[in-house]
Amino acid sequence: CDWLCSAFRMSLLEGDHDHSIAIHVTGNVNLTNPFANVKGELFYPVHCAVLGGSLSLLKWLIDTQCCPLRSIRISCTAVQSRETVTPILTSFGRSLLGIAMEKESMDLLRYLVVEKGMNFTNEKDLKVGTLAKMLEKTLRALHLSDVSASENHNNSDINSVTRSSFNGSLPANHLNPVTTEGKSDFLSDANIRADEALALELSEQQKRELYSEESLEDEVHRF
């Protein structure tokens, strides 16, 4: 069991999704207990997943395996009892949000804050420098997202105008007269043009023959 727990902890720290699940399938890993003391600090599996930077593993632990994100402490007095909800911490007091900020992982922070409802008001000892760096990174990411959306919108407008211009300049039956519904009309027009050309050619031929006959009569009269 100790070997499996150590292997599971290492696979989480390395962000190895498949290996972590394979070890868990053995049934000898407890996801709700902290791992043994590692370099003087106790970690829960969810902390190791954040340290490993794996969003898929963190989601698997929380959404699939129902690992808790918060701990509930109940204090009882002679008058009343009170519940205090706090984020799950390592033995050094590090939280999931704090570790994610140290790693500057936008995906992990978005998941924990937006999808799981964690907030920074419960965090302690957050460094101003770390907060400023993450705020700057967030603003840059939002700017790139806006620029990308604007470019996609402009490209869509250009493609729409190009299609409209193209469709307006060339009729459908001209693009592919064999496969369009106006196939018969196209062929009919082609036949009419062919008949007109043939009639013109016959007319020219008749004129040449008539001219030849008149020339021949002139020659006969001359003799």
Side-chain angles (χ1 to χ4, degrees), residues 17-35:
H17 184 274
D18 294 338
H19 191 209
S20 298
I21 293 178
I23 295 175
H24 177 261
V25 169
T26 63
N28 295 318
V29 177
N30 192 326
L31 300 178
T32 59
N33 288 338
F35 292 117

Side-chain angles (χ1 to χ4, degrees), residues 190-222:
N191 291 334
I192 292 174
R193 288 193 293 271
D195 292 342
E196 291 176 350
L198 179 60
L200 180 61
E201 182 178 352
L202 291 175
S203 177
E204 292 295 332
Q205 184 177 356
Q206 289 175 352
K207 289 180 180 179
R208 287 194 297 271
E209 291 177 352
L210 180 61
Y211 177 78
S212 297
E213 291 177 357
E214 291 178 351
S215 298
L216 181 60
E217 290 179 357
D218 290 341
E219 292 294 331
V220 171
H221 288 307
R222 186 177 302 173

Side-chain angles (χ1 to χ4, degrees), residues 91-104:
S91 60
F92 285 179
R94 293 200 291 169
S95 67
L96 296 174
L97 283 179
I99 297 173
M101 290 190 66
E102 291 174 4
K103 293 188 65 66
E104 299 182 15

Side-chain angles (χ1 to χ4, degrees), residues 100 103-111 134 137-139 141:
K103 293 188 65 66
E104 299 182 15
S105 175
M106 294 294 297
D107 290 338
L108 295 176
L109 285 171
R110 189 201 65 79
Y111 170 72
M134 290 307 303
K137 192 171 183 178
T138 301
L139 293 175

Side-chain angles (χ1 to χ4, degrees), residues 163-183:
R163 287 194 298 268
S164 298
S165 301
F166 184 74
N167 291 335
S169 60
L170 293 176
N173 59 358
H174 178 77
L175 294 175
N176 193 356
V178 176
T179 58
T180 58
E181 295 179 357
K183 173 173 63 177

Side-chain angles (χ1 to χ4, degrees), residues 2-222:
D2 291 341
W3 178 85
L4 282 175
C5 287
S6 297
F8 185 63
R9 184 189 71 243
M10 288 303 301
S11 65
L12 290 176
L13 291 173
E14 294 172 356
D16 192 335
H17 184 274
D18 294 338
H19 191 209
S20 298
I21 293 178
I23 295 175
H24 177 261
V25 169
T26 63
N28 295 318
V29 177
N30 192 326
L31 300 178
T32 59
N33 288 338
F35 292 117
N37 195 322
V38 181
K39 295 182 179 180
E41 188 173 14
L42 294 177
F43 294 99
Y44 283 90
V46 286
H47 293 119
C48 292
V50 175
L51 284 167
S54 175
L55 179 59
S56 63
L57 271 176
L58 185 61
K59 285 186 173 182
W60 174 71
L61 288 171
I62 297 173
D63 297 336
T64 304
Q65 301 300 324
C66 300
C67 290
L69 296 175
R70 303 168 180 86
S71 61
I72 300 176
R73 293 181 180 180
I74 301 176
S75 58
C76 297
T77 64
V79 179
Q80 62 180 359
S81 62
R82 183 177 60 181
E83 293 183 355
T84 303
V85 179
T86 59
I88 287 182
L89 307 175
T90 69
S91 60
F92 285 179
R94 293 200 291 169
S95 67
L96 296 174
L97 283 179
I99 297 173
M101 290 190 66
E102 291 174 4
K103 293 188 65 66
E104 299 182 15
S105 175
M106 294 294 297
D107 290 338
L108 295 176
L109 285 171
R110 189 201 65 79
Y111 170 72
L112 292 171
V113 174
V114 177
E115 296 188 29
K116 308 314 295 183
M118 301 192 74
N119 57 73
F120 291 102
T121 58
N122 295 326
E123 297 297 314
K124 297 180 180 179
D125 301 326
L126 286 177
K127 298 179 180 179
V128 176
T130 303
L131 287 171
K133 185 180 292 186
M134 290 307 303
L135 176 59
E136 180 181 352
K137 192 171 183 178
T138 301
L139 293 175
R140 291 183 184 277
L142 290 174
H143 172 69
L144 292 176
S145 178
D146 291 340
V147 171
S148 177
S150 177
E151 289 178 350
N152 291 336
H153 179 71
N154 291 337
N155 290 336
S156 177
D157 290 343
I158 292 173
N159 292 335
S160 177
V161 171
T162 302
R163 287 194 298 268
S164 298
S165 301
F166 184 74
N167 291 335
S169 60
L170 293 176
N173 59 358
H174 178 77
L175 294 175
N176 193 356
V178 176
T179 58
T180 58
E181 295 179 357
K183 173 173 63 177
S184 59
D185 294 338
F186 177 85
L187 294 176
S188 177
D189 292 342
N191 291 334
I192 292 174
R193 288 193 293 271
D195 292 342
E196 291 176 350
L198 179 60
L200 180 61
E201 182 178 352
L202 291 175
S203 177
E204 292 295 332
Q205 184 177 356
Q206 289 175 352
K207 289 180 180 179
R208 287 194 297 271
E209 291 177 352
L210 180 61
Y211 177 78
S212 297
E213 291 177 357
E214 291 178 351
S215 298
L216 181 60
E217 290 179 357
D218 290 341
E219 292 294 331
V220 171
H221 288 307
R222 186 177 302 173

